[in-house]
């Protein structure tokens, strides 16, 4: 009898241990099955409706971050640099996991970068390089805007246009995109003896402001034979002004039109011979930033400065197939 009671006690003890072990396994399973908390990415974007490029860029972030399971906190500076700075500091206060900044201005980001560093939040530049020393940011995924401009200058030189009189329609003053593209044409003009007859930056890269500026220039009687527009929207605005004044442009026209961004609709204009050249500036940074964050999450070393590979499209060589294959 005693043996039976002791073996029952042993069996109960063993079952109890198994149950505990099972529970701990269960609790391990429950821990294992617990959804990891979503990564929160703060994005300091320039303006919501700045350009077709910006629209594609914002869409790229939202789609890629959603697919990656990130929580996105996107804010828009709407042309106000000081607002972007305070928005960035607010996102740091909210302890986002990553801070992605697309600066309206290149300068003035040191304090934000230091705050992010003190908070242990990786600071990532996207689109536009900011004036920060390498110790103040984690990584950069940007375009080389001066290189884009140099591509256009080399192309223009090869056209061998007599007596180049250039209208420069710049983007937002102080953005790295405007600074780089403007530097390239200004250096190119002085190196090649070209005459820049108009050189103004349009607030917000605005198409309507560009159209009005060219219309006023035409009305003033100023002659020009090249339009160097720092994005597609401003190039379209310039063409609208030339249409209204009966000035021909493009492949068979009196004025050569150079644009930047290479939106699909703009490449249709290159194909139609309305734009002579369009230099690509690829806005699809979403997947690039996800790849970067995933590498950082995995503890991998990432490239500090990644420039996006970009091409350019000439009205003499572009094809419908090239246009059809474009994704933005
Ligand atoms: O060229 C313009 C956009 O930062 C490269 O900003 C970007 C520029 C782009 O509004 O269309």
């Amino acid at each position: 009898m005693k043996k039976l009671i002791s073996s029952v006690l042993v069996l109960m003890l063993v079952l109890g241990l198994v149950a505990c072990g099972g529970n701990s396994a269960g609790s391990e399973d429950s821990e294992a099955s617990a959804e990891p908390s979503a990564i929160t990415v703060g994005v300091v974007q320039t303006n919501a409706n700045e350009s077709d490029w910006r629209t594609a860029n914002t869409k790229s972030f939202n789609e890629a971050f959603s697919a990656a399971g990130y929580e996105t906190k996107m804010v828009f500076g709407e042309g106000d640099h000081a607002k972007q700075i305070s928005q960035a500091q607010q996102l740091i206060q909210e302890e986002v996991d990553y801070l992605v900044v697309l600066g309206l201005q290149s300068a003035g980001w040191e304090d934000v970068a230091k705050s992010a560093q003190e908070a242990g939040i990786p600071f990532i530049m996207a689109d536009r390089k900011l004036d920060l020393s390498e110790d103040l940011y984690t990584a950069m995924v940007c375009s080389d805007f001066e290189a884009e401009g140099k591509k256009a200058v080399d192309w223009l030189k090869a056209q061998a246009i007599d007596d180049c009189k250039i209208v420069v329609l710049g983007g937002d003053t102080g953005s790295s995109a405007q600074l780089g593209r403007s530097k390239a044409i200004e250096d190119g003009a002085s190196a090649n003896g070209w005459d820049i007859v108009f050189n103004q930056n349009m607030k917000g890269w605005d198409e309507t402001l560009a159209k009005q500026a060219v219309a006023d220039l035409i009305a003033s009687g100023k002659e020009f034979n090249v339009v160097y527009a720092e994005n597609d929207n401003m190039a379209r605005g310039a063409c609208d002004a030339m249409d209204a004044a009966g000035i021909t442009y493009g492949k068979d026209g009196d004025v050569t039109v150079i644009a930047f961004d290479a939106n699909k609709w703009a490449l249709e204009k290159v194909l139609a011979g309305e734009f002579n050249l369009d230099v690509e500036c690829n806005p699809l940074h979403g997947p690039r930033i996800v790849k970067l964050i995933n590498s950082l999450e995995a503890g991998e070393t990432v490239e500090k400065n990644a420039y996006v590979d970009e091409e350019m499209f000439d009205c003499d060589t572009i094809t419908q197939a090239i246009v059809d294959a474009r994704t933005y």
Side-chain angles (χ1 to χ4, degrees):
M1 184 59 174
K2 276 185 181 176
K3 274 189 179 177
L4 178 60
I5 291 169
S6 59
S7 55
V8 168
L9 286 174
V10 167
L11 180 60
M12 286 169 68
L13 183 62
V14 168
L15 288 173
L17 285 173
V18 168
C20 287
N23 286 342
S24 64
S27 62
E28 279 162 16
D29 287 345
S30 62
E31 278 164 15
S33 63
E35 281 299 308
S37 58
I39 290 169
T40 302
V41 184
V43 180
V44 183
Q45 184 54 288
T46 57
N47 310 324
N49 302 305
E50 179 179 274
S51 60
D52 293 292
W53 189 99
R54 189 63 53 194
T55 302
N57 178 243
T58 297
K59 181 169 178 278
S60 177
F61 284 129
N62 286 328
E63 287 181 350
F65 289 4
S66 169
Y70 298 168
E71 181 193 346
T72 306
K73 289 188 172 182
M74 187 176 289
V75 291
F76 298 89
E78 297 309 341
D80 183 339
H81 170 66
K83 181 177 174 183
Q84 274 201 317
I85 297 297
S86 61
Q87 288 173 326
Q89 293 288 14
Q90 178 59 34
L91 288 169
I92 292 167
Q93 294 303 316
E94 292 169 13
E95 298 181 342
V96 294
D97 298 301
Y98 291 88
L99 185 66
V100 179
V101 174
L102 299 90
L104 283 161
Q105 301 287 308
S106 303
W109 287 96
E110 292 82 0
D111 290 346
V112 168
K114 286 173 185 167
S115 299
Q117 201 164 62
E118 286 158 13
I121 299 173
F123 184 108
I124 297 171
M125 299 182 211
D127 172 17
R128 301 176 180 174
K129 189 169 181 356
L130 306 174
D131 298 345
L132 288 174
S133 55
E134 289 205 350
D135 61 303
L136 285 178
Y137 65 90
T138 303
M140 180 203 83
V141 180
C142 295
S143 294
D144 184 339
F145 301 111
E146 187 172 350
E148 291 175 356
K150 283 178 177 170
K151 284 179 192 172
V153 167
D154 292 345
W155 176 89
L156 182 58
K157 186 175 180 181
Q159 305 316 300
I161 297 169
D162 286 336
D163 192 19
C164 259
K165 296 182 188 305
I166 304 169
V167 170
V168 177
L169 302 171
D172 259 341
T173 302
S175 66
S176 53
Q178 177 270 316
L179 293 168
R181 291 170 186 164
S182 294
K183 183 178 186 305
I185 190 64
E186 288 160 5
D187 291 352
S190 55
N192 295 287
W194 300 333
D195 186 11
I196 293 179
V197 298
F198 179 88
N199 188 354
Q200 266 183 31
N201 299 330
M202 303 297 135
K203 179 73 177 155
W205 306 73
D206 187 77
E207 182 168 343
T208 305
L209 289 178
K211 178 179 179 180
Q212 191 55 58
V214 173
D216 292 346
L217 193 67
I218 293 167
S220 73
K222 176 67 78 175
E223 290 189 353
F224 58 90
N225 53 15
V226 178
V227 168
Y228 179 97
E230 294 183 358
N231 83 344
D232 290 334
N233 296 81
M234 295 191 291
R236 183 166 58 188
C239 290
D240 289 349
M242 289 190 282
D243 282 338
I247 295 173
T248 62
Y249 52 85
K251 189 170 186 172
D252 303 317
D254 294 336
V255 177
T256 296
V257 177
I258 296 170
F260 291 82
D261 286 352
N263 289 285
K264 192 166 190 172
W265 63 261
L267 295 186
E268 293 283 6
K269 288 182 173 294
V270 177
L271 185 65
E274 294 174 37
F275 289 5
N276 297 80
L277 183 78
D278 203 338
V279 181
E280 181 185 16
C281 179
N282 191 290
L284 307 180
H285 290 312
R288 298 176 186 124
I289 300 300
V290 167
K291 184 170 182 284
L292 179 62
I293 289 175
N294 288 344
S295 295
L296 291 167
E297 287 290 300
E300 296 165 5
T301 304
V302 297
E303 188 180 358
K304 188 83 173 176
N305 299 311
Y307 284 104
V308 179
D309 292 333
E310 297 164 334
E311 47 186 314
M312 68 180 183
F313 304 91
D314 180 322
C315 63
D316 292 326
T317 56
I318 195 168
T319 64
Q320 187 64 57
I322 290 171
V323 177
D324 293 345
R326 302 294 293 172
T327 56
Y328 68 91

